[in-house]
Amino acid sequence: MAPHANPQVLNTLAIYALLAVFLIWRYSRPMRLTVTRMFVMPGILLALTALAIWGDRYEHLHHAQPPTALALSLAVGAVAGIPFGILRGMHTTVKATDRPGVMYLGPSWVVPAILVGAYALRIGLRIAFSQTPFAALVGNGVLALAVATLITSYYVIYKKYRALEHQAGQI
């Protein structure tokens, strides 16, 4: 370890690296999942994002952005993520199974790329702009984009699955 390296930063980077490996592994192979479980991952990601934003505001009160600026950056990021989520959902292979409420999803490199890219960009902005309000606002907006992309894509996938179930007469 370099003498100037902060152990807390290294721990955070190690956690991000482990999450990135997990996301890449999980989304790079076909998945069988239930409709209920499909919405667990976005819920966890949403909670982690909220915790990261809250922790950042709590830890860096002297650099804290006004609540209106934070809300605006989150809203812009979320709105910008919706089209990506729709595209990802439309291009994801969805297959119904013989069991109601269970589907197969094809592998997707897009989800881990967006999620890992959002956190990497957030970290890069923090390093480049030394915890300025600009870095925090843009970083939080990018996180909102990633979460909105995932939630929207799962909604589109859910609609595709419901249509497949309806065609098969399982509803």
Side-chain angles (χ1 to χ4, degrees), residues 24-154:
I24 291 167
W25 172 78
R26 184 174 189 273
Y27 285 102
S28 65
R29 59 190 182 81
M31 294 184 281
R32 187 180 79 154
L33 73 156
T34 63
V35 172
T36 305
R37 268 192 22 209
M38 183 172 69
F39 290 103
V40 170
M41 181 62 173
I44 291 170
L45 185 63
L46 188 61
L48 287 174
T49 300
L51 185 64
I53 292 169
W54 176 80
D56 183 55
R57 283 185 54 83
Y58 181 76
E59 183 179 339
H60 302 288
L61 287 176
H62 60 286
H63 290 297
Q65 58 274 31
T68 53
L70 175 61
L72 182 63
S73 71
L74 293 175
V76 168
V79 169
I82 291 171
F84 292 115
I86 291 170
L87 285 173
R88 188 267 173 159
M90 289 172 41
H91 294 288
T92 298
T93 304
V94 180
K95 295 179 184 174
T97 64
D98 55 347
R99 294 178 40 208
V102 180
M103 71 183 91
Y104 283 107
L105 292 183
S108 174
W109 60 268
V110 175
V111 173
I114 289 174
L115 296 175
V116 171
Y119 277 96
L121 182 60
R122 185 175 194 242
I123 291 169
L125 287 168
R126 299 283 169 107
I127 292 169
F129 294 104
S130 304
Q131 305 291 348
T132 63
F134 168 79
L137 288 172
V138 174
N140 292 336
V142 169
L143 289 182
L145 180 140
V147 171
T149 299
L150 187 64
I151 291 171
T152 305
S153 69
Y154 274 2

